[in-house]
Amino acid sequence: MENPIIETNRLTKRYRDITALDRVDLAVGPGRIGLLGPNGAGKTTLIKCLLQLENISEGSARLLGYEVGQEGREARTRVGYAPEIDCHIPGMAGCEYVTYCAQLSGLPFADARQRAHEMLDFVGMGQERYRQIDTYSTGMRQRVKLAQAIVHDPEILFLDEPTNGLDPKGQGKMLQLIEELGARHGMSVIFSSHLLHEVERVCDQIIIIGKGRVLVHDSLQTLRDQRKGAAELALVDHHDQVLAAFNRQGWPCEQLTNGNIKVEHGSTILNPVLEVLGKIKVTPIEVIPSPNALQEHFIQALRGGTV
Amino acid sequence: MNSPLLDIGYRHWNGTVQNVWVRRAVVARHTMQACLRGRVIRFLVAVTWVLSLVTATAYFAVGQILVPEGLLRPLFELIMDDKARRFVEGISAWLALYPDVTVRLVADLLLLHLNMILQTISFLVVTLIIPRLLTRDLASNAIVVYSSRAISRFDYLFGKLAGVLGVFSLCWLGPAILAWVLGNVVAPDWSFFWHSRSALGYTLATAIPSMVVTALLAMAISALSAKSRIAVAIWLMVWLLTPVFVPIANMTSDWVAYLNFSHVLDRFAIAIFDPYRDFLLARESLPFFNTLFGRLKESTVQSFGYSPLAGPAIGLLIVSFLSLLILFRRTRS
């Protein structure tokens, strides 16, 4: 890959007996990258290792071409990070805090103050920016966290579970902002989440992590297009008739414990199944297509298995 | 969701990133601002400047009494008895003969005394600011905010240290220097500046290392807990409970006394200012002085005004090392 923004080579992170990241090899190009995996999969640890917030036990990593561990400061100048945990500097008002963060990133005070207000506007903060952060609601804190992460105009934005604690409206707005940053403003976004639908909405590349290992790294479109060619049918009756019809076609099928029939028809579309059902004049209540590869991989990761 | 004030959307920033020293200065300034918030702190800082003025006034008064044409001399002669008058005349004569020794002795003693008072007040200031150094950053995970930016853990700690030193400059070094400058400005003769130069040198040599080590210790204690009360309690234990080692040292070994941090700083100040050296110089150069203090035992004088430098210097180095160790271990994200 040309000009990867993130490169890892057998990146390993151990906490005493626990291996949080196990020989992770990645080459990630620019874009909106979803980091998917269940809680404890190693998503946050990967981000922390890349940002040098955690020491790497083995292997190496490069961020924007800079060697993590040796040129961390240079890399972090061009990176924004909104961590999952609540973090702010006590006793500061929202705009003061974002201004301070901009100054910490190297912006002169006048620029920092202007950018802080622009970013607070961008994330939808009103007059409450002049209140102390300690008094903010969860939603406001999440927005301020995003504002401080983008105030210095980073090339890569790391977002660790940015919608945690937000109501559906707040989640929608947050995802819209993230999408806008990536799609319209050319910022590469590493979006860590354990919620598949959020990642599907925002990202164009997916990395699925499970038990500290990268299970899948591909484009969203490719993963969506990969289907196993199976379906699940919910029927009122005629189960035996339907099973017999599928058997005649040579399709492996079985009746599940919930009464539904699972059939492996081998096609990426459902038409062959519907045709067979039409021939025997059975109308199903519901036809559930097999999950696509993305869903399957994610389910595997949730179950703790390997793909 | 609340309405933004003026949403112009996202714009890229095309400015130049400032160097790491500016970023360290930003941390230092923020630390100083956070520390100086509150009336009690400001009151204590004001007290140190008042003490500085008091010391300068005392220096002025001594100068005016000692020189024959001094402003306070007639008043002094009016209210003092014969014995006191003879004492002053003796010192005046000494001043005429050895102005360098006299001025130096007075300035050294005044600034040593001021330094020790300022040290105590600075300890009080530390008690108030300790939660604002690192404790609250640890409690609020602010350390992650710093670490994820273009500053390293070293930059963060350096900025914090500079901030604490800034506070100490306001309540320790600054007042001490002002006392010296002001005392000499109002002295009867400009030569007082030159003759008292050692006092300024000793003040800097004492206060700067003491401030750095005290700041490191305060930061380390602040980093020990994410709860403000615990951090303050540990500091108070270090400050107020460890003096118990001084009487224990009398029964066991002298080194035990160095487990008391304020004792280490006191002995360090005495080792630098070395009042015993001034005393010997005065005794050698003025027979009158020898008559006055000649009956004092050498050991008595030494115990008051002499300290070897090695003990307190090693003590300060050990405190610094342990503090740095704690700081680097406790400020991981």
Side-chain angles (χ1 to χ4, degrees):
Chain A
M1 180 179 290
E2 274 184 40
N3 302 325
I5 55 168
I6 295 170
E7 265 183 296
T8 64
N9 181 24
R10 300 180 71 78
L11 177 65
T12 304
K13 174 66 191 173
R14 289 191 202 92
Y15 298 98
R16 297 191 182 183
D17 299 336
I18 299 164
T19 304
L21 289 176
D22 189 9
R23 289 163 289 165
V24 171
D25 287 313
L26 274 174
V28 183
R32 285 161 285 148
I33 300 108
L35 205 53
L36 259 176
N39 291 329
K43 307 184 296 289
T44 302
T45 309
L46 176 61
I47 293 176
K48 283 187 167 183
C49 285
L50 291 171
L51 292 174
Q52 219 187 328
L53 300 176
E54 293 281 2
N55 292 328
I56 295 169
S57 306
E58 271 172 43
S60 62
R62 292 177 82 85
L63 188 60
L64 288 165
Y66 293 105
E67 191 71 43
V68 173
Q70 288 166 19
E71 301 165 297
R73 191 192 278 148
E74 288 77 6
R76 290 199 303 272
T77 310
R78 298 158 67 187
V79 166
Y81 176 45
E84 180 186 8
I85 51 168
D86 207 10
C87 60
H88 62 276
I89 295 167
M92 276 188 166
C95 56
E96 238 183 307
Y97 169 64
V98 180
T99 305
Y100 182 55
C101 287
Q103 285 185 281
L104 289 178
S105 294
L107 272 71
F109 176 71
D111 287 16
R113 192 172 49 183
Q114 188 185 335
R115 282 283 299 179
H117 282 287
E118 283 178 19
M119 291 309 106
L120 286 166
D121 284 330
F122 177 70
V123 299
M125 290 286 283
Q127 291 288 351
E128 61 275 10
R129 72 184 62 178
Y130 299 108
R131 262 173 38 204
Q132 287 215 346
I133 300 181
D134 310 68
T135 66
Y136 282 6
S137 65
T138 310
M140 288 178 193
R141 284 174 191 232
Q142 290 287 28
R143 275 180 276 154
V144 167
K145 241 192 300 186
L146 177 62
Q148 63 82 25
I150 57 175
V151 71
H152 55 294
D153 193 22
E155 287 174 46
I156 308 183
L157 176 62
F158 286 91
L159 299 170
D160 198 354
E161 310 274 3
T163 55
N164 267 6
L166 296 179
D167 58 26
K169 196 177 167 190
Q171 283 178 4
K173 175 71 180 168
M174 181 64 79
L175 294 175
Q176 186 191 324
L177 290 173
I178 296 167
E179 200 173 2
E180 188 183 335
L181 285 169
R184 282 182 52 195
H185 303 290
M187 199 180 285
S188 289
V189 180
I190 313 292
F191 179 31
S192 163
S193 176
H194 61 275
L195 301 173
L196 183 60
H197 65 92
E198 285 189 350
V199 172
E200 275 190 294
R201 175 175 163 183
V202 171
C203 300
D204 50 24
Q205 287 181 58
I206 305 287
I207 298 169
I208 298 179
I209 293 188
K211 288 189 172 175
R213 306 199 73 161
V214 172
L215 305 177
V216 174
H217 175 204
D218 216 326
S219 74
L220 179 69
Q221 199 54 52
T222 308
L223 291 169
R224 269 183 179 160
D225 290 346
Q226 288 173 7
R227 283 184 189 276
K228 215 173 187 178
E232 198 177 311
L233 310 177
L235 301 165
V236 179
D237 48 17
H238 307 299
H239 290 84
D240 294 337
Q241 198 183 341
V242 171
L243 283 169
F246 288 155
N247 280 329
R248 279 197 297 277
Q249 295 289 328
W251 297 340
C253 58
E254 60 174 327
Q255 187 164 2
L256 303 173
T257 48
N258 62 359
N260 290 355
I261 288 173
K262 187 179 177 187
V263 57
E264 290 180 27
H265 52 84
S267 172
T268 54
I269 53 174
L270 289 172
N271 286 4
V273 177
L274 298 175
E275 279 171 17
V276 170
L277 292 173
K279 279 179 193 167
I280 58 173
K281 294 187 171 49
V282 172
T283 309
I285 304 168
E286 191 181 8
V287 181
I288 308 161
S290 70
N292 60 32
L294 174 61
Q295 290 161 330
E296 279 200 358
H297 291 323
F298 184 60
I299 290 164
Q300 284 287 352
L302 287 176
R303 287 175 183 159
T306 53
V307 180
Chain B
M1 200 164 273
N2 297 296
S3 304
L5 298 183
L6 178 69
D7 190 2
I8 53 168
Y10 187 87
R11 288 196 305 175
H12 288 290
W13 179 68
N14 298 314
T16 310
V17 173
Q18 293 185 300
N19 69 45
V20 71
W21 285 100
V22 177
R23 281 173 261 156
R24 287 171 185 163
V26 167
V27 178
R29 198 184 61 213
H30 170 257
T31 306
M32 243 183 115
Q33 283 172 344
C35 287
L36 292 173
R37 224 170 267 166
R39 284 183 192 167
V40 183
I41 294 270
R42 284 187 223 144
F43 172 75
L44 287 174
V45 171
V47 166
T48 60
W49 291 96
V50 170
L51 284 170
S52 169
L53 293 179
V54 169
T55 306
T57 309
Y59 192 70
F60 163 77
V62 171
Q64 294 300 332
I65 288 168
L66 292 182
V67 294
E69 67 279 14
L71 294 172
L72 298 176
R73 188 67 176 263
L75 180 70
F76 188 80
E77 284 177 353
L78 204 70
I79 57 170
M80 287 295 127
D81 58 7
D82 285 349
K83 201 176 170 185
R85 205 172 297 137
R86 276 202 299 279
F87 176 76
V88 170
E89 279 166 2
I91 300 218
S92 295
W94 184 35
L95 179 64
L97 284 170
Y98 305 103
D100 52 336
V101 179
T102 319
V103 172
R104 174 181 166 170
L105 181 68
V106 171
D108 279 2
L109 288 176
L110 280 174
L111 282 176
L112 172 63
H113 187 240
L114 178 65
N115 184 67
M116 287 184 164
I117 297 175
L118 293 175
Q119 177 190 307
T120 306
I121 295 176
S122 298
F123 278 23
L124 268 174
V125 168
V126 168
T127 311
L128 296 170
I129 66 172
I130 230 170
R132 304 173 198 177
L133 302 180
L134 284 96
T135 308
R136 289 185 186 168
D137 281 358
L138 291 172
S140 65
N141 295 312
I143 203 96
V144 177
V145 177
Y146 288 100
S147 308
S148 64
R149 300 200 165 264
I151 50 172
S152 63
R153 192 169 14 156
F154 172 79
D155 300 330
Y156 168 73
L157 292 175
F158 185 90
K160 287 277 172 186
L161 178 66
V164 184
L165 290 178
V167 175
F168 283 162
S169 298
L170 286 178
C171 63
W172 191 339
L173 187 62
I177 291 175
L178 179 79
W180 181 83
V181 173
L182 210 58
N184 283 309
V185 165
V186 295
D189 195 295
W190 289 111
S191 65
F192 274 53
F193 267 109
W194 178 249
H195 297 320
S196 67
R197 66 189 185 281
S198 65
L200 177 66
Y202 296 151
T203 300
L204 295 174
T206 304
I208 292 173
S210 301
M211 280 164 45
V212 171
V213 179
T214 308
L216 285 174
L217 179 66
M219 285 166 61
I221 290 173
S222 181
L224 280 177
S225 174
K227 288 184 179 168
S228 299
R229 283 180 188 175
I230 293 176
V232 172
I234 296 171
W235 166 253
L236 288 176
M237 276 170 62
V238 168
W239 178 22
L240 300 175
L241 293 186
T242 53
V244 79
F245 289 116
V246 179
I248 292 173
N250 293 334
M251 293 181 280
T252 54
S253 166
D254 287 350
W255 284 97
V256 177
Y258 288 110
L259 293 171
N260 173 19
F261 181 61
S262 46
H263 177 77
V264 173
L265 289 185
D266 288 347
R267 300 318 289 177
F268 181 68
I270 288 171
I272 298 284
F273 274 92
D274 202 356
Y276 180 61
R277 181 184 49 208
D278 286 348
F279 175 79
L280 289 179
L281 196 64
R283 210 165 60 175
E284 280 168 20
S285 53
L286 191 69
F288 150 79
F289 202 83
N290 202 16
T291 319
L292 198 67
F293 296 104
R295 272 172 290 176
L296 281 176
K297 280 185 185 172
E298 197 73 8
S299 59
T300 312
V301 180
Q302 274 200 17
S303 65
F304 165 72
Y306 174 75
S307 172
L309 184 60
I314 292 170
L316 291 181
L317 284 174
I318 290 171
V319 171
S320 307
F321 175 75
L322 291 175
S323 302
L324 286 170
L325 199 70
I326 293 170
L327 283 170
F328 276 94
R329 285 188 74 87
R330 292 284 302 167
T331 51
R332 286 185 185 154
S333 305

